[in-house]
Amino acid sequence: MARDILIIGGSSGIGRELAVELAASGDVVHLASRHEDQPPGASANFQTYDVTDKDATLDLPEKLDGLVYCPGTINLKPFGRLSDDDFQHELDVNYLGAVRAIRQAQAALKKAEYASIVLFSTVAVQTGLPFHASISGAKGAVEGLTRSLAAEFSPGVRVNCLALSLTDTPLAGSLLSSDDRRKASADRHPLKRIGDAGEVARTAAFLLGTDSGFMTGQVLQIDGGISTLKML
Ligand SMILES: NC(=O)c1ccc[n+]([C@@H]2O[C@H](COP(=O)([O-])OP(=O)(O)OC[C@H]3O[C@@H](n4cnc5c(N)ncnc54)[C@H](OP(=O)(O)O)[C@@H]3O)[C@@H](O)[C@H]2O)c1
């Protein structure tokens, strides 16, 4: 039976790839973001939604089989140059936006037989990286939320998170703006490349499906080995 999946932030990057993947498998895809940009081949129900607007409401189907929350930020600065506004913005987009979306979708998710929530974090939570103070705090909150809600919503709704290293999407555009930058970024990873949006999207699709049905409260690292391996 076709599933109803809501992707917050399906107009770009990983969310867009996921929308195409799910629509091709016959799912009914609901997209919510600030700009309408229908992924090719994914006829989806689009709604305008800004996760930083506390009063914004999501138009949801009665039953929701999955929620994927994609909005994120990359704001890398020395600690001394990060303002309160920087920290607040990272929290709003990455964490509080997810809280508000899940709060609204909770009732619809509980009506599905197998429901799954997928959130996104960064390798910079598990591994200390310079200039990541504001994003690591916000994504650390997302990882805590993942585990708390996985416990609270169990057994009806599973909650998992993907913690990424640099992945080739518009969000990472400024870090990948030349061949030299791309090569330097690739060389920092044991697998000698950066992440691909399609492979991350397919892992998100796996977390939405019954093949991952015994997994909840997990933070999976998709990071080319950078968080766990030391190359000699
Ligand atoms: N790419 C990387 O290197 C990388 C690394 C670590 C973690 N991550 C995480 O992976 C996730 C997906 O990132 P991505 O690279 O696919 O990002 P992306 O290409 O920038 O896509 C983000 C999506 O979120 C939407 N969005 C952003 N701000 C929004 C807002 N205020 N309200 C509603 N929608 C909003 C965007 O649509 P609109 O602009 O139309 O609103 C877009 O569809 C993020 O959580 C990110 O933090 C990515």
Side-chain angles (χ1 to χ4, degrees):
M1 207 168 74
R3 303 174 302 176
D4 282 89
I5 309 288
L6 171 65
I7 305 175
I8 314 263
S11 62
S12 168
I14 294 156
R16 186 181 172 92
E17 294 280 340
L18 180 63
V20 173
E21 178 90 17
L22 296 177
S25 326
D27 291 317
V28 179
V29 180
H30 304 264
L31 302 177
S33 60
R34 292 166 301 177
H35 312 101
E36 177 162 9
D37 192 358
Q38 287 276 353
S43 71
N45 305 313
F46 175 81
Q47 56 190 294
T48 305
Y49 182 73
D50 183 343
V51 300
T52 64
D53 178 353
K54 279 197 290 227
D55 302 319
T57 53
L58 284 164
D59 185 16
L60 297 168
E62 197 167 313
K63 167 190 76 69
L64 201 54
D65 301 277
L67 165 60
V68 184
Y69 184 87
C70 298
T73 46
I74 294 184
N75 180 26
L76 309 185
K77 287 186 196 166
F79 181 70
R81 285 184 35 214
L82 285 167
S83 65
D84 279 7
D85 285 349
D86 287 320
F87 281 95
Q88 188 60 55
H89 181 66
E90 308 268 34
L91 275 174
D92 277 343
V93 175
N94 292 280
Y95 174 65
L96 293 171
V99 167
R100 292 183 198 116
I102 295 168
R103 185 187 291 133
Q104 293 183 64
Q106 188 181 355
L109 287 162
K110 284 190 169 163
K111 288 192 181 131
E113 195 179 352
Y114 300 102
S116 170
I117 297 174
V118 180
L119 303 173
F120 285 92
S121 181
T122 165
V123 66
V125 173
Q126 170 158 325
T127 302
L129 297 175
F131 313 129
H132 284 68
S134 59
I135 187 63
S136 65
K139 292 297 200 186
V142 171
E143 294 192 10
L145 183 72
T146 300
R147 296 190 185 96
S148 295
L149 292 186
E152 191 169 332
F153 292 177
S154 190
V157 181
R158 298 182 298 114
V159 188
N160 292 289
C161 179
L162 298 175
L164 312 183
S165 186
L166 193 60
T167 303
D168 196 354
T169 72
L171 183 67
S174 63
L175 302 176
L176 300 171
S177 56
S178 69
D179 288 347
D180 283 353
R181 286 183 147 214
R182 278 183 176 266
K183 183 170 181 333
S185 295
D187 285 348
R188 275 196 288 276
H189 295 81
L191 290 179
K192 297 299 173 202
R193 67 175 177 89
I194 59 166
D196 170 77
E199 69 196 359
V200 176
R202 288 188 289 281
T203 311
F206 164 72
L207 289 177
L208 288 171
T210 49
D211 284 349
S212 63
F214 204 41
M215 290 174 62
T216 193
Q218 298 300 312
V219 178
L220 304 187
Q221 310 289 324
I222 306 184
D223 62 12
I226 204 169
S227 66
T228 40
L229 307 181
K230 191 174 177 74
M231 306 307 280
L232 299 176

